Amino acid sequence: MLDFFAIFSKGGIVLWCFQGAGVTESFTGPVNALIRSVILQERSGNNSFTHNALSLKYKLDNEFELVFVVGFQKILTLTYVDKFIDDVQLHFRDRYKNELEQRGALKFLLNNFEFGDDFHRLMREAEVSSKAKAPVSMRNFNESEKSKKTVKSMIETKDGDKTKEQGGKKSKNAKKEAESGGDQAKAASQTASKKAVENGNEGLTQEEIIERNRAKFISKQLGGGKAEKPSKSPKPQKPKGKANRVWDMSGKSIGELDYSGANGNNSSDAQNQDPDAIAEPLIQVDSMKGDLRGVDYESSDDEDEVVQEEERVVVANTKKGAKKGGFGGMFGMLKGLVGSKNLTQEDMEPVLDKMKDHLIAKNVAAEIASQLCVSVAKKLEGKVMGTFTTVASTVKQALQDSLVQILQPKRRVDILRDVLEARSQRKPFVITFCGVNGVGKSTNLAKISYWLIENGFTVLIAACDTFRAGAVEQLRTHQRRLNSLHPPEKHGGRPAVQLFEKGYGKDAAGIAMEAIAFARNQVFDVVLIDTAGRMQDNAPLMTALAKLIAVNTPDLVLFVGEALVGNEAVDQLVKFNQALADHSRTDKPRLIDGIVLTKFDTIDDKVGAAISMTYITGQPIVFVGTGQTYSDLRSLNARAVVSALMKA
Amino acid sequence: MENEKIHVDLEDFSEEQFMESFMREIQSEEAVFILGILVALALVILTVVFFGNFWGSSKARNAVLLLGLCDSGKTLLFTRLLLGKFVRTQTSITENSTTYKSKNDRGSSWTLIDVPGHESLRVQIVEKYKAVARAIVFVVDSSIFQKDVRDVAEFLYSILTDNVVAKNAPTLVVACNKQDISMAKSAKLIQQQLEKELNTLRMTRSAALSSQDGAVGGSVYLGKKGKDFEFSQLPNRVEFIECSALGSKGEDGDADIHALENCLAKI
């Protein structure tokens, strides 16, 4: 039933493989896809992966550097696969322990790993064990435990009066049904009556539960002091009279409760109220006086406060964690210094928790930090540590390696080269900027056009932000400034930057299309499309953005995100990608191709947003914005960011 | 008697004085004494360092790196070079390294390292081994070269402009693999295309943005300024050869790697 099973070394050499009967396709493609998208992107937390019609499960053996992969059809739900992989792994290790303990890659090549017989035996065992569990049939009344209980045993004192009565009633009914085994059941139940089993609601049917709830509701209405009065209770409760409701403050007379005279007086309450009431309008008036603060500044303030609160909470947690970890860490250090040992989950857990808190304190999104830690644990489980290395140092090194791995771009990032390529094909290179409100799209668009002009390209800016007041004027100001910095005389007579705009209120996708056609006619090298900022939850606006990208197929779709964002980054990117995928009509939708990380100068070393964004999308960070002047544009240095992240 | 007395006195006196005089001697010679010890220590350290460097340098650079993009056939080439037999391979996650006895008269042996080609891994692993590289075998997939020329050139550029590699100037062998496929490009064509691409990259990479802490990557300029880039302008010895790790007969036959083996023998 399995399509294939492969055992290969982490260096890529297949040691043994099995292909199910009738399977013609080679497994190389799906397994490569598994490696590239799961293991190399540090998503090893969940150990299953689907590729077209196949479902793949895998297991890493870190001691001998092996990978075990099994593939089966997605529509089959095989329950024995997890246990099966574990069994196969243990068998393989035990059988080839001697060969695998040699050093060097030759061990994989020289030895013949004839595992077929063992494998088939294990597979047969696994299939048999999964079939052995037949579905459990329902017991009839005689076999059930209820029939063995007497009425009396189910009677409780005081609280559960009615339940026992009703339970007793039920067994009386049941007794009528089971006449054949009735005598035996009675005898059995009487002998087994010693058990003081509390039935609770289990002995009641649905209707009886409803009756009881109704009784409760009615009793609540009538008064709190009354005990629950079930309708079927044989013993009538003593009806209590209606008691007067007693309020806390009711000791005082009516006169004291009348505060109407205090409104104009100088009583203590009024004094506190009035300054507040007067102060409120004062605050509002003052805040609007003077220069208006920019949108960016306020939002970053809020973000800072939120981050600080998170930090405080996180610091408290880390202190607790550190205390626990300190004690365990001492032992771990001693153990680690002596001889080589295998890393187990328990060893790594305190260190990983501390690292997770540390990452969260550095502004990495919470769920990404936990996924990363789980993935690092999977990678290190069972690994043999050398002497004089502690658990903490091994885990830290592994985490550092995986962070650098995440930040390395998965594809070539060279915008200038791509622009040259497009120029040689006589078409403009189109870049679209999208993002939520206020992240710095227009500012960074201007910086990027300055960089492109410096390198001798002509740029057309398409003002597709037709919503925000002043968006077009902002871009026109940038255009004028850039042209004054690079006068047209130096660029062969034509202005280096031109603005293509159609005013406000028009359809953004239409303006973009016209801009690209204009650029092609006038032989512009690059077209930069500026879109309006939009929240990721705003469905109509997301649809409009998806339409713009689907219709115009830009060469590069850049998501602009600020470095201050915390857990929001995950939500923004997921929803943006989702919208782009949903509303594109092709089956290969254009998703976000790159990330521009802005406002990098506002964070000191809390650079976690870079990790969150690259982890979620798998796309590289193409530009980093570090200020508001034209020269504040950088590229990402993975090592520097990771060292800032891991710095204590 | 006086003499004897004096003699006795002198003797006594000299015994007591012996210690004091000894101490005085040491104290007077202290400076010289300690200076001598220091000079001796320094000499020892210098010799150790000198020999360490000397030995280290001859021992250090004895690795041959197999580099290339993903799926270019490095792992299969690795096994073919070592044992001549065929194995199925998957994308490598870690590097494979082993000692290789080259087929030349001297019978020298060095370490052959197969570096994974995946973008997220290659940078870190190259960092680890670049200092010990005596030669670099850059494996290129000849059949899809046209499509990947920019990626291939960018990887090659990043290796050649690395400071450590540029200083050591290891031999560069570009192995145009997968020649068994009919659409494969010849080594000459690949060389011309790479030269053109690296020429363009020289210009765009030098104009690239500096990274956020001000560091500019790789300040090495390939080739000669003002002239089009050619591999002959590099200080390294460069060779382009064709090979096929799979071989014309596939799994059963031998691989077509004689040219590569001859090249490696010359290292």
Side-chain angles (χ1 to χ4, degrees), chain A residues 10-12 14 32 109 417, chain B residues 85 88 90-93 197:
Chain A
K10 278 193 181 174
V14 173
N32 277 342
L109 299 170
R417 181 72 192 84
Chain B
K85 77 173 191 182
R88 285 184 85 154
Q90 302 286 151
T91 309
S92 314
I93 310 175
E197 192 62 32

Side-chain angles (χ1 to χ4, degrees), chain A residues 117-236:
Chain A
D117 302 325
D118 285 351
F119 176 80
H120 283 108
R121 182 171 47 89
L122 285 167
M123 195 158 84
R124 255 176 281 131
E125 283 173 16
E127 285 176 359
V128 159
S129 70
S130 76
K131 280 188 208 130
K133 290 186 219 149
V136 182
S137 62
M138 269 182 61
R139 299 173 285 184
N140 58 11
F141 177 70
N142 291 335
E143 296 166 13
S144 77
E145 290 178 8
K146 181 106 66 61
S147 64
K148 300 190 178 68
K149 295 178 196 155
T150 59
V151 173
K152 255 211 178 121
S153 71
M154 297 193 270
I155 294 177
E156 290 175 5
T157 53
K158 265 208 167 178
D159 300 42
D161 256 355
K162 46 165 173 48
T163 58
K164 281 168 260 158
E165 316 285 333
Q166 285 170 343
K169 232 204 173 133
K170 181 130 198 300
S171 64
K172 274 194 224 150
N173 290 337
K175 266 197 231 161
K176 279 189 226 152
E177 292 165 14
E179 284 170 327
S180 56
D183 294 333
Q184 290 173 353
K186 240 201 240 172
S189 63
Q190 275 168 0
T191 50
S193 66
K194 294 290 163 84
K195 287 188 249 166
V197 177
E198 197 184 280
N199 275 5
N201 268 342
E202 291 160 15
L204 306 173
T205 59
Q206 194 68 16
E207 291 130 7
E208 281 152 347
I209 294 173
I210 292 174
E211 289 281 353
R212 200 152 65 94
N213 288 342
R214 231 180 261 152
K216 257 197 239 172
F217 181 68
I218 293 168
S219 64
K220 265 193 213 157
Q221 294 287 329
L222 292 175
K226 211 171 175 186
E228 286 178 27
K229 198 176 176 188
S231 48
K232 292 187 184 173
S233 164
K235 260 196 264 177

Side-chain angles (χ1 to χ4, degrees), chain A residues 587-606:
Chain A
D587 49 352
K588 276 208 195 335
R590 291 300 310 279
L591 298 177
I592 291 174
D593 295 324
I595 299 171
V596 180
L597 195 62
T598 61
K599 306 186 192 170
F600 207 76
D601 51 323
T602 56
I603 51 174
D604 294 325
D605 55 349
K606 300 204 192 317

Side-chain angles (χ1 to χ4, degrees), chain B residues 12-24:
Chain B
D12 288 335
F13 199 61
S14 70
E15 274 183 21
E16 287 179 7
Q17 240 186 9
F18 184 67
M19 299 299 291
E20 285 183 56
S21 67
F22 188 63
M23 293 299 290
R24 236 180 283 135

Side-chain angles (χ1 to χ4, degrees), chain B residues 178-240:
Chain B
K178 305 205 185 171
Q179 291 290 325
D180 50 292
I181 302 180
S182 49
M183 298 283 291
K185 304 280 179 294
S186 69
K188 206 148 172 45
L189 184 66
I190 291 181
Q191 180 174 356
Q192 286 172 353
Q193 296 248 330
L194 276 180
E195 282 176 350
K196 259 198 297 184
E197 192 62 32
L198 284 172
N199 198 22
T200 330
L201 272 183
R202 277 195 308 185
M203 191 259 293
T204 59
R205 278 314 193 83
S206 58
L209 299 165
S210 57
S211 56
Q212 74 246 23
D213 50 358
V216 186
S219 45
V220 176
Y221 192 79
L222 285 184
K224 298 191 175 50
K225 288 201 185 155
K227 284 211 281 190
D228 277 348
F229 173 76
E230 279 173 31
F231 278 106
S232 49
Q233 298 168 0
L234 289 175
N236 325 41
R237 206 181 88 213
V238 184
E239 280 192 49
F240 276 78

Side-chain angles (χ1 to χ4, degrees), chain A residues 621-640:
Chain A
I621 292 183
V622 179
F623 295 111
V624 177
T626 52
Q628 302 204 34
T629 69
Y630 286 134
S631 51
D632 287 325
L633 193 64
R634 300 271 178 276
S635 66
L636 187 79
N637 182 350
R639 289 203 173 273

